[in-house]
Amino acid sequence: MRSYSLIAPAKINLYLEILGDRADGYHELAMILQSIELADQVNIRAIGTQTIQVHCDHPQVPLDKTNLAYRAVELMSQEFPDCWAQFGGVEISIQKNIPVAAGLAGGSTNAAAVLVGLDMLWQLGLTQPELQELAAKLGSDVPFCLAGGTAIATGRGEELDPLPSLDSFYVVLAKHQNLAVSTAWAYQTYRSEFGNSYGRSDRASKSIATEPLNTPTRVHSGSMVQGIINKNGSKIGQLLYNDLEKVVLPNYPQVLQLRQAFENSGALGTMMSGSGPTVFALCQSQEQAQEILQQVQSAIRCPDLGFWVSKFARHGIQIISPQKSLFIGNRE
Ligand code: C5P
């Protein structure tokens, strides 16, 4: 088979706590990540020339090396030079539905889809741990995007522990289309402003932290995880948490305004996803999500503001063509 089509879901952060600095320049994190049905479609096709071609129907998506999907092909060609020589280059076509530069891992999930697509196209038969290792080389969120569902993510974000699935919940997402927040800026600003008090916030200690800093049980034993195990929407809603809000909300009044509008909307809870600027509201049902969308839409009348309603998903990358299947890797 010379081409594959894959579904690449977005993610939201139900929980993001910054625990400390790492020697590699990144931050030690404790996160709970959730896939949602809002997804891009990534088509990958073998072409005769030894080139990488990226196409996308969204004008803000770069088509060069700055696109993580492009870098995923580059990485695979370096790791498997014989396949690159044997099968030739690839063309990647991305049908963009996930808002761009939004804190929803749109670029990361496209890269995860490329890894799965090339594994199939080049008949590599990589195991799930092998794919996860390649994914971690591309970015901190790429391993989660590959696996999907609901998971605790620690380390840089690449160490995953799956949680029971939460697929009955809905979210309303809102983002100012022309607003982007640099992830590197958000983390650097957090470090300079809060680096002397990592992991000591009251909110964090209530919801997740019960053990000393940087011990693995800290994240696993928290009340947020209990809420997820019990599928308790009110509890999950109350315990949504994101340390990066402390730097993004004061610097981006539009994001703060969205957060406040969602706070007053009757949702189970609301939070910024990742480094923003997308804000989401957790909802019990699709009907509730539609009501909240209309409420916030009429509260903030702004032509630049985009809204999406999506459902929690229990999967990461899915192959939809040539045959519909859930990608789970080779479980060796
Ligand atoms: O891993 P990724 O390339 O997605 O990260 C983007 C940026 O976010 C990094 O360059 C870094 O500045 C910041 N980051 C961090 N600590 C993490 C993850 C990301 O400081 N655990």
Side-chain angles (χ1 to χ4, degrees), residues 103-126:
L104 300 173
S108 300
T109 194
N110 293 169
V114 168
L115 294 181
V116 173
L118 283 179
D119 178 46
M120 305 296 292
L121 208 59
W122 293 351
Q123 297 158 20
L124 292 166
L126 295 174

Side-chain angles (χ1 to χ4, degrees), residues 152-207:
I152 294 173
T154 49
R156 262 195 314 132
E158 83 288 18
E159 290 167 27
L160 302 176
D161 286 294
L163 288 169
S165 112
L166 275 181
D167 57 358
S168 67
F169 293 99
Y170 281 78
V171 275
V172 183
L173 305 156
K175 179 191 181 265
H176 288 275
Q177 312 268 29
N178 290 315
L179 189 67
V181 177
S182 153
T183 305
W185 169 85
Y187 278 102
Q188 274 157 25
T189 309
Y190 188 91
R191 178 179 291 169
S192 56
E193 289 184 20
F194 300 100
N196 54 0
S197 61
Y198 281 133
R200 275 190 239 131
S201 79
D202 288 350
R203 180 72 191 270
S205 56
K206 264 190 247 148
S207 54

Side-chain angles (χ1 to χ4, degrees), residues 9 33-35 132 143-151 160 162 313-317:
L33 301 173
Q34 174 65 53
S35 301
Q132 295 289 352
F144 173 77
C145 291
L146 198 64
T150 311
L160 302 176
R314 52 166 80 208
H315 60 84
I317 303 302

Side-chain angles (χ1 to χ4, degrees), residues 65-86:
K65 279 175 202 279
T66 57
N67 187 320
L68 216 48
Y70 187 111
R71 292 220 292 279
V73 183
E74 259 187 352
L75 174 70
M76 291 293 275
S77 68
Q78 285 154 12
E79 298 277 337
F80 305 100
D82 295 349
C83 292
W84 179 249
Q86 185 189 340

Side-chain angles (χ1 to χ4, degrees), residues 3 79 185 197 207 221 226 234 254 301 327 332:
S3 72
E79 298 277 337
W185 169 85
S197 61
S207 54
S221 59
Q226 272 313 311
S234 317
Q254 304 100 310
R301 295 217 169 264
F327 182 78
E332 275 166 24

